[in-house]
Amino acid sequence: GVGGNGISVQMSGSNNAAHTLNATIFDNDVTLTAAGSLDAIRVVAGSATGNAGVLRLDMHDNDASSSFGNDFQVRQRFATTVQLLDYLGSPTDTAAVQNYFDNARANDPLGAGTDWFITTQTPGGGFVGTALVPQPTLPIIGDLPLL
C-alpha cells in the first residue's frame, strides 16, 4: 500500500568528500502494489551536482517487488563513491554489481517489471569493495542499552 519507495536510503546535501553514510539493509520482504508506488528498495548516493562522500552499504537477503517501479535501485551519482561489503568487481561494471547483489548477497527481485536499476556517474568513484560497514553504537543508560 505504499505510494512511494518501500525502503529508501539517500545520501545527499553535502559537497564534503569526508561525508560518510553507513547503511545495512537485510532480511526484508518489500512488496509494492499501490498505483504510483516507486522502488521497493532504493539506495542513492548523491542527488545534486557537487555532492560528494562515501556511502558504505551492506545489503543482503532481501526480497523486493514493485508493480510500477524498480524492485531494487542502487545508484552512485556525482562525486560520491559507494562501498559494498566484500565486493571485488570493477567500479563501473553495473552488471558485476547486479551479479554481486543477486548471487553473493542473496537479494531476490520478485517483481514483473524492472528488477534492478544500477548506475554510476563521473567524477565519482563508482562501486568499490570495503571490508567493513560499521554499525551504530547504542547509547547506554544505566546498565542497559537504549533501544
Side-chain angles (χ1 to χ4, degrees):
V2 174
N5 297 301
I7 295 174
S8 184
V9 175
Q10 174 84 40
M11 183 183 81
S12 59
S14 175
N15 295 351
N16 182 347
H19 178 144
T20 302
L21 173 68
N22 300 318
T24 300
I25 304 168
F26 71 96
D27 204 22
N28 295 284
D29 185 353
V30 181
T31 303
L32 303 182
T33 57
S37 60
L38 301 173
D39 304 314
I41 297 178
R42 176 182 182 268
V43 180
V44 179
S47 67
T49 300
N51 281 175
V54 175
L55 189 153
R56 292 188 195 113
L57 178 61
D58 179 7
M59 184 170 76
H60 61 90
D61 297 298
N62 296 289
D63 294 336
S65 173
S66 178
S67 297
F68 298 94
N70 304 296
D71 295 346
F72 292 91
Q73 180 181 143
V74 183
R75 300 182 73 189
Q76 173 276 307
R77 302 181 71 208
F78 306 105
T80 65
T81 299
V82 177
Q83 294 181 349
L84 303 173
L85 186 64
D86 299 327
Y87 175 69
L88 300 174
S90 168
T92 58
D93 186 348
T94 57
V97 173
Q98 179 178 332
N99 183 59
Y100 161 84
F101 281 126
D102 276 338
N103 298 307
R105 305 303 288 162
N107 292 288
D108 194 3
L110 303 172
T114 304
D115 291 340
W116 289 94
F117 183 69
I118 300 171
T119 62
T120 64
Q121 183 178 7
T122 58
F127 295 94
V128 298
T130 186
L132 179 67
V133 176
Q135 296 295 307
T137 302
L138 295 175
I140 303 289
I141 296 181
D143 294 330
L144 303 172
L146 179 64
L147 299 177

